[in-house]
Each structure stands twice: as structure tokens, then as C-alpha cells.
Amino acid sequence: MRNRILALAVLAAAIDSPLAAQAQSGVTVGRAPVVVDSGPTIAVEQRPAFRDYVVEQRVPAFRIPDRVVVGATLPESGVTYYDVPQRFGATTYRYTVVNGETVLVEPRSRRIVEVMD
């Protein structure tokens, strides 16, 4: 009887330890990890020129009730997105002006990836 209890305790510890290690490492079994898209963006030295470009284009600003922060998703309708000219670097993102701030947006998800101001 004692051997069975000891064997069950060892088996339970062996089964439980990978789960504990998983919980500590943040790995989730059966689901793919979330990957933040980090495509090419505008270089730091190009940002002042890009801000000037946006002002020259007189892009209409849109208002949203939420704060403009990285990771926020813009509304599906009512916002127009513009291509970033090649001279500011090859980027997969588009830009728009929201609540007075120029933002780079991932076009498919409408997620703000960078606030330029």
C-alpha cells in the first residue's frame, strides 16, 4: 500500500511539474502566441519632415472619444488612411490624423502602431 501511495505521489509530481513550468514561462498549450506586428516604420531623423509633410497635405483630422494610444483600434468607418510616401522609408503602415495627432496605422486591423506627435 505504501509503495502505491509513493508511486502515485511521484506520478502526480511528474505530471504537475511541466504544468507549473508552463505557467511560469507564460506558454499556453494549444494556442499560438500573440505576435505584435513590427513592420518598418519612419526613422527618427525623418519624423520632423514627415510631420511637416502631413501639415502641408492638410489631411483632415478625425475625432474619436477614446484616447489616441498605441494598440488602440480605430473605427471601421469614418476614418481615411493615407499612404506614407517612399521618401520617408518603405513602410507597410498608413497614416491619418486623429484628435490632432498623426498616427501610423496597420491598415488591415486599423490598430495604431505609432503616435508621431
Side-chain angles (χ1 to χ4, degrees), residues 25 27 35:
S25 69
V27 175
V35 177

Side-chain angles (χ1 to χ4, degrees), residues 62-69 72-75 77 79 98-99:
F62 297 93
R63 303 261 339 130
I64 60 171
D66 300 324
R67 288 184 38 201
V68 178
V69 294
T73 302
L74 295 177
S77 62
V79 180
V98 180
N99 295 357

Side-chain angles (χ1 to χ4, degrees), residues 17-28:
S17 66
L19 296 176
Q22 249 182 312
Q24 291 175 358
S25 69
V27 175
T28 304

